[in-house]
Amino acid sequence: FDKALALMDKFEQAGKDYLFIIASQIDPYGPYWERIMRNPRYVYANANIYTDSLIRGCDYLVSLSSCESWGYSIREALANGVAVIGSKGVPEIERVVKDGMNGYLIDRNLTDVDSAMIDKIFDDKPIFLHWIESAKACNDGEKWEQLFRRGEL
């Protein structure tokens, strides 16, 4: 969680308003969790009760992993009309997240996250509109696997 928390620090320094929902199967303990629980901008949600409605309420899913085997949460977010902020250099993330189309690829160490990138992340309305339309297609019965195979996810 250290990378995600560092990204949120950058958002705060840029004066951006956000709510960071952490969905995890890991019990909340340790220094990261202590920090999360003290900050009203962070919300913990047990992943065992993770629902599509929780995902649909987000602007972005943040996945700053150093590796991904299948990227299920990323695909689930995209299928629900939610763009992804993911790690560059992770093949499974790069295979699914198309930078500037359905999310953003950033350096996992945040070296490329400056104020211009933060403004882009917060102010890029076309990316939201594109994925809202994809979510409508999924909700109208078109399976997200079909969108993925066509290259739209």
Side-chain angles (χ1 to χ4, degrees):
F1 292 111
D2 60 326
K3 302 300 180 186
L5 293 174
L7 181 61
M8 300 309 115
D9 286 344
K10 288 184 176 264
F11 289 169
E12 249 177 75
Q13 291 165 4
K16 301 298 182 179
D17 188 31
Y18 68 90
L19 179 64
F20 184 39
I21 300 171
I22 301 167
S24 176
Q25 294 175 334
I26 301 170
D27 289 330
Y29 67 90
Y32 298 125
W33 290 108
E34 290 170 16
R35 179 174 169 202
I36 289 165
M37 297 304 179
R38 283 193 312 263
N39 190 328
R41 290 180 185 234
Y42 300 128
V43 175
Y44 170 75
N46 186 308
N48 294 323
I49 56 171
Y50 200 64
T51 63
D52 285 345
S53 61
L54 176 64
I55 296 170
R56 285 187 194 117
C58 298
D59 292 326
Y60 288 99
L61 175 109
V62 177
S63 179
L64 297 178
S65 303
S66 57
C67 65
E68 284 284 338
S69 56
W70 171 238
Y72 183 74
S73 61
I74 294 168
R75 286 175 168 77
E76 191 174 29
L78 294 174
N80 279 289
V82 175
V84 175
I85 297 173
S87 303
K88 284 181 187 173
V90 178
E92 187 57 29
I93 293 175
E94 288 187 340
R95 192 165 81 81
V96 179
V97 179
K98 304 303 178 202
D99 195 38
M101 281 185 57
N102 61 358
Y104 295 103
L105 294 170
I106 61 175
D107 179 75
R108 186 170 183 273
N109 294 315
L110 310 178
T111 57
D112 56 354
V113 179
D114 56 13
S115 60
M117 172 59 89
I118 291 170
D119 285 344
K120 188 175 183 181
I121 288 170
F122 276 83
D123 300 332
D124 191 354
K125 300 305 177 204
I127 203 166
F128 292 130
L129 296 175
H130 173 78
W131 289 105
I132 288 168
E133 291 305 313
S134 292
K136 285 180 186 173
C138 290
N139 292 332
D140 288 342
E142 185 173 8
K143 296 184 178 184
W144 68 269
E145 290 93 346
Q146 293 169 334
L147 292 172
F148 179 75
R149 286 190 186 115
R150 290 198 321 249
E152 293 181 37
L153 287 183

